[in-house]
Amino acid sequence: MDLKRKKIFIAGHKGLVGSSILKEMKRKSIEPITIEKQELDLLDQYNVDKWFRVNKPEMVILAAARVGGIYANNKYPVQFILENLKIQTNVIEASFNCNVEKLLFLGSSCVYPKDSPQPIKEEYLLTSKLEQTNEAYAIAKIAGLKLCQAYKKQYNCNFFTVMPSNIYGPNDNFHPLNSHV
């Protein structure tokens, strides 16, 4: 796929992974579409649908998510599962409804069982219990992964998921209580 000729939308371009993808694309003279959170709240299904209909992206990179570390995941499980389910469902469904050619959903290695054999293989997904401290986040990410698989199976959409390993770096959340590190 010639990315220089595609309208690419990066959802979550200010976060750790999204900002790295944006930086690499710009380094290769690719100018993706980005939009500020205050201009498009990905939790708002109506406005996400409207934005997709107006802007017609051809490729979507879904790096947007509510993220945090053990403390935040334990303290706010409702927000972690609910906000992540809404964000990813809104973006994935709008991508389908607007005939997006390719969608890349960024999962998380925390979707694999707590005591998963090492190195982790894809087939280990859903084979035993998740790590309890980030279970809400992991369940939301599993739902996004399964939604992409379902769109691929039922409608032959080019929607797929990649699982970065545990990462941190520039533009991560470094809040003293809620961060990854």
Side-chain angles (χ1 to χ4, degrees):
M1 179 181 272
D2 183 4
L3 298 181
K4 289 184 180 180
R5 297 190 177 175
K6 295 291 181 185
K7 284 180 78 173
I8 303 168
F9 172 47
I10 301 176
H13 74 282
K14 293 269 180 127
L16 171 65
V17 177
S19 65
S20 295
I21 292 169
L22 177 61
K23 182 179 175 182
E24 183 63 17
M25 285 188 162
K26 288 188 173 211
R27 190 182 72 73
K28 293 181 177 185
S29 301
I30 300 167
E31 289 297 327
I33 303 166
T34 59
I35 188 163
E36 301 303 318
K37 187 176 182 176
Q38 59 270 24
E39 296 174 64
L40 177 62
D41 180 359
L42 297 176
L43 296 169
D44 182 337
Q45 181 182 12
Y46 174 80
N47 284 316
V48 170
D49 289 340
K50 181 179 170 186
W51 186 90
F52 269 75
R53 283 191 310 275
V54 168
N55 292 280
K56 299 178 179 17
E58 296 166 289
M59 181 176 177
V60 173
I61 299 171
L62 180 46
R66 179 181 182 110
V67 298
I70 293 171
Y71 176 82
N73 274 273
N74 270 327
K75 188 159 178 68
Y76 308 109
V78 170
Q79 287 80 1
F80 275 86
I81 196 167
L82 191 58
E83 288 181 25
N84 284 305
L85 285 171
K86 285 180 180 180
I87 290 167
Q88 58 205 36
T89 301
N90 291 344
V91 172
I92 294 168
E93 184 177 23
S95 294
F96 172 73
N97 290 337
C98 292
N99 299 309
V100 166
E101 292 174 32
K102 185 177 278 191
L103 180 136
L104 169 64
F105 173 64
L106 289 157
S108 170
S109 59
C110 75
V111 301
Y112 291 100
K114 177 182 179 176
D115 297 319
S116 187
Q118 300 295 315
I120 297 174
K121 296 180 181 177
E122 286 184 52
E123 58 264 22
Y124 298 161
L125 184 69
L126 298 173
T127 56
S128 62
K129 289 187 175 196
L130 298 167
E131 168 59 49
Q132 188 177 0
T133 59
N134 62 4
E135 184 180 59
Y137 179 78
I139 288 171
K141 287 295 188 176
I142 291 167
L145 177 154
K146 291 297 185 181
L147 184 57
C148 287
Q149 288 177 342
Y151 271 111
K152 173 94 174 153
K153 179 180 179 181
Q154 187 170 339
Y155 298 110
N156 201 32
C157 295
N158 195 2
F159 293 2
F160 60 100
T161 305
V162 295
M163 300 297 178
S165 60
N166 289 337
I167 55 177
Y168 69 95
N171 298 314
D172 199 355
N173 171 6
F174 293 104
H175 185 275
L177 292 176
N178 299 330
S179 67
H180 292 114
V181 182

